[in-house]
């Protein structure tokens, strides 16, 4: 069939493009607006004039702003980081890591890129601009009001870094346990054609469809009374599970595990069983065939599933708000508490800065793993 016959009519292309542009505008506007607000003084952030919110004249009047040179070099550093994350880093990992050790290369690469960006953007670049701005005349004059004091307040004075650490503990635990159990279970269920495997998948699907509040209500009495139940074994010093991160990890893994099993099973089904048989003929055991032959071609599926598991744990509110005490609180319920508790405009902008902070790791991860996510989704997840 010729390409002309497959070409969409002009009216259909215009309509679809308009709807796509409208959807992008509606989806991106809240993120853009809270990012702008988080860098302004409270007077600018809640100004009724949208232009004052964007350009920040009150923020600029107190000597806190950016020059054109600051903006140009800042955009250059961000663009360079995005280019390195999407182009350079994947090719370097592919070139310098051995088959089966890509995860280690990704771990080192992502951490190196993150540390390098923070060092350049917040230490090296300001030092260079302090020297260059006075030399460039009008280009070095502040034109856009901007302050980072709200980020300093929330991360240093309000102890938001402790919430960030708790989120890292919870998400790392959930992703690690979910992928470990999910890969083994998904591989076994994909290679099994028994009726029992079918019914296990159906039960997992029903379990995944249950509201999270039902599962939390079931776990909550167990965790609250855990010290009494464990005392016959551990004595009077038996710990209580309520309020501890590992209790939340257990609940979130229970909620997330059916999803990871279903998703990874779909990926394993797309890998020919002849690979297993060839590995067995060459002398591998079942586990060696799984580890040395199947897993190296499963990385896009594992990364995609791991990212979805990360998002579930990272963005969870209900489970973490009900099962964690104030000392072990993660970021999402902590931010909700800021919006509910604080009343002054300054505190509201500080809460907005905290909300912006939690989006940065998500954008960073999606940018780095975009190829693996797309490859993983098209390889198995959407095919079912």
């Amino acid at each position: 069939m010729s390409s002309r016959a497959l070409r969409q009519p002009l009216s259909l292309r215009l309509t679809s493009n308009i709807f796509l542009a409208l959807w992008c505008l509606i989806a991106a506007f809240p993120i853009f607006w809270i990012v702008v607000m988080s860098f302004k003084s409270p007077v600018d952030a809640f100004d009724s004039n949208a232009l004052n919110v964007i350009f920040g004249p009150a923020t600029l009047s107190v000597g806190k702003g950016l020059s054109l040179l600051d903006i140009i070099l800042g955009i250059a550093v961000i663009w360079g980081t995005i280019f390195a994350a999407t182009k350079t880093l994947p090719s370097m990992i592919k070139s310098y890591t051995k088959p089966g050790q890509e995860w280690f290369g990704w771990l080192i690469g992502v951490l190196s890129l993150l540390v390098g960006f923070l060092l350049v953007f917040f230490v090296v670049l300001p030092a260079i601009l302090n020297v260059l701005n006075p030399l460039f005349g009008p280009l070095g004059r502040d034109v856009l009001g901007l302050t980072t004091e709200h980020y300093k307040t929330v991360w240093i004075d309000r102890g938001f870094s402790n919430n960030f650490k708790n989120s890292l503990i919870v998400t790392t635990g959930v992703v690690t346990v979910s992928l470990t159990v999910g890969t083994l279970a998904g591989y076994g269920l994909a290679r099994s054609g028994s009726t029992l495997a079918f019914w296990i998948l159906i039960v997992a699907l029903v379990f995944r469809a249950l509201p999270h509040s039902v599962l939390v209500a079931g776990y909550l009495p167990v965790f609250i009374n855990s010290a009494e139940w464990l005392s016959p074994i551990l004595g009077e010093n038996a710990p209580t599970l309520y309020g501890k991160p590992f209790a939340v990890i257990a609940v979130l893994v229970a909620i997330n595990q059916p999803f990871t099993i279903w998703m990874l099973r779909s990926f394993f089904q797309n890998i020919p069983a002849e690979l297993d048989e060839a590995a067995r003929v060459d002398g591998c055991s079942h586990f060696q065939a799984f580890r040395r032959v199947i897993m190296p071609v499963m990385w896009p599926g594992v990364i995609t599933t791991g990212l979805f598991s990360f998002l579930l744990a990272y963005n969870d509110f209900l489970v973490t708000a009900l099962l964690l005490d104030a000392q072990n609180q993660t970021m999402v319920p902590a931010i909700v508490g800021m919006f509910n508790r604080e009343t002054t405009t300054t505190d509201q902008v500080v809460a907005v800065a905290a909300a912006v902070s939690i989006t940065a790791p998500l954008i960073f991860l999606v940018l780095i793993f975009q190829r693996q996510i797309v490859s993983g989704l098209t390889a198995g997840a959407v095919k079912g």
Side-chain angles (χ1 to χ4, degrees), residues 36 39-40 44 51-57 59-61 63-68 70-71 141-147:
V36 171
F39 287 105
K40 307 298 179 186
D44 287 329
L51 292 178
N52 288 341
V53 179
I54 295 173
F55 291 101
T59 309
L60 197 59
S61 66
K64 296 177 179 176
L66 289 179
S67 66
L68 284 176
D70 295 334
I71 296 171
R141 252 178 245 147
D142 291 345
V143 294
L144 181 69
L146 184 143
T147 177

Side-chain angles (χ1 to χ4, degrees), residues 25-372:
L25 182 65
I26 293 173
F29 174 76
I31 300 172
F32 167 77
W33 203 246
I34 63 170
V35 169
V36 171
M37 287 179 65
S38 67
F39 287 105
K40 307 298 179 186
S41 68
V43 176
D44 287 329
F46 291 99
D47 198 297
S48 58
N49 188 335
L51 292 178
N52 288 341
V53 179
I54 295 173
F55 291 101
T59 309
L60 197 59
S61 66
V62 296
K64 296 177 179 176
L66 289 179
S67 66
L68 284 176
L69 193 61
D70 295 334
I71 296 171
I72 293 170
L73 291 183
I75 291 175
V77 171
I78 293 173
W79 182 86
T81 305
I82 293 174
F83 183 83
T86 56
K87 303 291 183 184
T88 310
L89 184 61
S91 60
M92 287 182 66
I93 290 172
K94 190 175 180 181
S95 302
Y96 294 106
T97 56
K98 297 179 181 177
Q101 296 182 351
E102 289 86 353
W103 66 271
F104 185 71
W106 278 109
L107 181 65
I108 298 299
V110 170
L111 288 177
S112 302
L113 187 64
L114 181 62
V115 172
F117 171 74
L118 294 175
L119 190 64
V120 171
F121 197 78
F122 292 104
V123 179
V124 177
L125 190 60
I128 294 175
L129 288 170
N130 284 337
V131 177
L132 294 181
N133 276 331
L135 303 177
F136 277 77
L139 285 178
R141 252 178 245 147
D142 291 345
V143 294
L144 181 69
L146 184 143
T147 177
T148 57
E149 63 178 343
H150 306 305
Y151 288 92
K152 293 178 183 174
T153 301
V154 72
W155 280 91
I156 298 174
D157 300 340
R158 304 287 177 89
F160 196 63
S161 55
N162 187 51
N163 301 118
F164 178 72
K165 181 194 72 177
N166 295 331
S167 290
L168 281 184
I169 293 172
V170 170
T171 52
T172 303
V174 170
V175 172
T176 303
V177 178
S178 295
L179 288 184
T180 302
V181 177
T183 49
L184 294 172
Y187 178 67
L189 292 170
R191 292 294 185 257
S192 173
S194 67
T195 307
L196 178 61
F198 170 77
W199 283 108
I200 289 175
L201 289 169
I202 295 299
V203 170
L205 190 62
V206 172
F207 192 79
R208 183 66 182 87
L210 292 175
H212 295 181
S213 56
V214 173
L215 300 175
V216 175
Y219 283 115
L220 192 57
V222 177
F223 291 144
I224 291 176
N225 300 318
S226 58
E228 296 179 14
W229 294 355
L230 293 174
S231 58
I233 303 172
L234 303 177
E236 296 180 354
N237 295 325
T240 178
L241 299 178
Y242 177 73
K244 301 296 187 290
F246 50 82
V248 170
I249 291 173
V251 176
L252 288 177
V253 166
I255 293 172
N256 185 49
Q257 201 64 75
F259 168 75
T260 58
I261 290 174
W262 266 92
M263 198 162 182
L264 287 168
R265 173 183 166 272
S266 299
F267 288 117
F268 280 120
Q269 280 186 319
N270 288 328
I271 298 175
E274 286 76 11
L275 283 178
D276 302 61
E277 296 168 3
R280 293 299 308 280
V281 169
D282 289 340
C284 291
S285 64
H286 280 296
F287 184 73
Q288 286 174 330
F290 169 75
R291 185 172 65 87
R292 295 182 177 179
V293 178
I294 303 301
M295 282 308 296
V297 297
M298 265 293 293
W299 279 114
V302 173
I303 291 174
T304 305
T305 310
L307 185 62
F308 281 109
S309 301
F310 175 88
L311 294 177
L312 178 131
Y314 190 80
N315 294 325
D316 179 79
F317 169 73
L318 181 65
V319 177
T320 51
L322 290 176
L323 296 183
L324 287 176
D325 55 24
Q327 188 180 0
N328 294 310
Q329 199 66 270
T330 55
M331 290 194 290
V332 173
I335 291 172
V336 174
M338 289 183 196
F339 278 113
N340 289 335
R341 184 175 61 248
E342 309 294 0
T343 54
T344 66
T345 55
T346 301
D347 292 329
Q348 291 290 328
V349 180
V350 169
V352 169
V356 173
S357 299
I358 70 170
T359 63
L362 301 178
I363 296 173
F364 192 70
L365 282 177
V366 171
L367 284 175
I368 290 177
F369 294 117
Q370 57 170 318
R371 288 185 179 178
Q372 286 75 16

